[in-house]
Amino acid sequence: MPQTAAPHSPFYAHLSRLRFIKRWGLMRNAVEEDVAQHSWEVAVIAHALAVIARDVLGKAIDPNAVATRALFHDATEAITGDLPTPVKYSPAMRHATQNLESEVCEEMLRLLPEAVRPALKSAMDHHEWPGEEARLIKSADRLAAWLKCRAELRYGNKEFEQATVQVKSKIDEHMTPEVQYFLDTFGSAYELTLDSLMQGE
């Protein structure tokens, strides 16, 4: 047991502020979504995809490791805020935003005591993610975005019509057996009301 007190670190205080950072900031939302909520949902879906990959498809993958990395996949937004997709992925900005996220990741990791830094670097630094895990997390991120778009449409918000088509197109373009299994098995239930869910329909 260490005899000296660890240095004070603001790392987790920064992460706690993800709940104040709104997503889809360029659009009118029927129900606001913050980065903390989104990160949790992506982690849950990524865990599901990894379980499917391991237990249905027989792949060697650790769902808990995937879920942990997914939970931290947008951690740098505690500093940068949510970068809207039209900005983040525009040809002119893609390289700049990737460099910004990498630099912010390094800055945040430097806030940690050295003893725990490697564990968090493995979770936060996208360059450290094994390829198969990164693929599942990206799939989960797209699924979470599509489910958000679908929910907005159900609330009568036509603002999300084009986004729904665009995100679904990306899902279809990068369709995998794990994603197809998730959609076939779990996807339709997201359209149900609470009463229908409770009745097991």
Side-chain angles (χ1 to χ4, degrees), residues 147 154 183-193 196-197 201:
L147 292 168
R154 289 198 307 278
L183 290 172
D184 291 345
T185 308
F186 306 110
S188 62
Y190 282 87
E191 306 290 324
L192 299 179
T193 64
S196 296
L197 286 171
E201 294 181 6

Side-chain angles (χ1 to χ4, degrees), residues 19 47 52 64 102 116 136 141 170 180:
R19 66 186 184 273
H47 183 269
I52 293 164
N64 294 331
S102 294
V116 302
L136 291 173
D141 199 12
K170 280 290 185 184
Q180 191 64 64

